[in-house]
Amino acid sequence: MKSKGGFVLGLVIVLAVLVGGAYAIIRVQSTPEVATIKCVGGSEKTQLMADPDIKEILADKYQLTVEWKPQGSYDQVLQSAEQIEAQGYDCLWPSSASAQNVFESTHSGEFPDYRALTVLQSPEVIYSGPQATDALVRAGLVREQDAHYVADLKTLLLDHIVAGDTWQNLQAGSLQGPMNISSTDPARSNSGFTMAQLQLTIVA
């Protein structure tokens, strides 16, 4: 009886090990392999791509790990096919349809598997310090909406910036000198190019 009990106990342990091993094998086999892709995109997306939640979603839901490098939109799309391939890029992520058009006209037929999608759309953002923002709000050039501010760009540009107005005239605290909207280089950056387009359209 003793040996029979030992045999039964041993059999249970063996079965438990076999079941546990089979479960581990099934789990390994059913866990999709995570692919790594290398992408270059606009610097404004850097924080998004570094976000731990985004990384987790990409890994768990889409089985993707993204190696991310920031670069200006037009710097991306004006690279030669050889440069893109040498750096091992799987995707480019510029920030506008105009940059996409530049890429497509420059690289027509060079990437047979190429396709493009619009993934995100966001407003053009102007950064400003508290003194300037308060002065612009008082002058009616900026209004507060929810958690952000919206600029009357036409009035700001034509009646103040083009006209050579100064921060002293708006009583903007310690700010001095002419009012201006500066941007990144329009020849290399999509956000700078978009701002130049907006300003040119308004002035024209």
Side-chain angles (χ1 to χ4, degrees), residues 140-143 150-160 202:
L141 299 171
V142 166
R143 60 182 172 84
V150 178
D152 178 355
L153 191 59
K154 181 177 180 180
T155 303
L156 174 62
L157 187 62
L158 295 181
D159 295 351
H160 296 272
I202 291 171

Side-chain angles (χ1 to χ4, degrees), residues 28 37 40 119 147 163 177:
V28 168
I37 60 173
V40 58
V119 181

Side-chain angles (χ1 to χ4, degrees), residues 17-203:
V17 171
L18 289 175
V19 170
Y23 172 75
I25 292 171
I26 291 170
R27 186 174 180 185
V28 168
Q29 289 178 342
S30 63
T31 302
E33 184 178 349
V34 176
T36 299
I37 60 173
K38 190 173 182 180
C39 291
V40 58
S43 58
E44 71 281 348
K45 304 180 189 77
T46 300
Q47 287 186 328
L48 173 71
M49 299 309 296
D51 189 299
D53 292 337
I54 296 297
K55 290 183 176 182
E56 185 176 347
I57 290 169
L58 289 172
D60 293 346
K61 189 172 181 179
Y62 300 99
Q63 291 77 57
L64 282 178
T65 296
V66 179
E67 291 184 6
W68 177 257
K69 177 184 175 182
Q71 189 175 33
S73 293
Y74 293 97
D75 281 345
Q76 297 172 44
V77 300
L78 289 172
Q79 295 180 98
S80 67
E82 291 76 16
Q83 287 174 313
I84 294 171
E85 290 172 353
Q87 294 175 89
Y89 292 141
D90 299 294
C91 69
L92 308 183
W93 195 356
S95 301
S96 72
S98 61
Q100 176 186 334
N101 291 337
V102 169
F103 178 84
E104 290 174 347
S105 62
T106 305
H107 298 287
S108 178
E110 291 183 328
F111 297 96
D113 297 326
Y114 165 79
R115 66 188 181 117
L117 296 171
T118 298
V119 181
L120 297 173
Q121 289 186 322
S122 61
E124 188 77 359
V125 177
I126 302 171
Y127 290 94
S128 177
Q131 292 184 86
T133 301
D134 291 344
L136 293 170
V137 170
R138 288 196 303 270
L141 299 171
V142 166
R143 60 182 172 84
E144 189 171 358
Q145 179 177 308
D146 301 325
H148 60 278
Y149 297 86
V150 178
D152 178 355
L153 191 59
K154 181 177 180 180
T155 303
L156 174 62
L157 187 62
L158 295 181
D159 295 351
H160 296 272
I161 294 176
V162 174
D165 202 359
T166 65
W167 288 110
Q168 293 96 308
N169 288 341
L170 260 65
Q171 300 179 351
S174 61
L175 296 181
Q176 298 182 14
M179 298 172 63
N180 190 29
I181 298 176
S182 60
S183 68
T184 48
D185 184 357
R188 305 179 66 185
S189 163
N190 177 74
S191 55
F193 183 71
T194 302
M195 180 57 72
Q197 285 179 311
L198 286 172
Q199 292 176 325
L200 178 61
T201 301
I202 291 171
V203 172

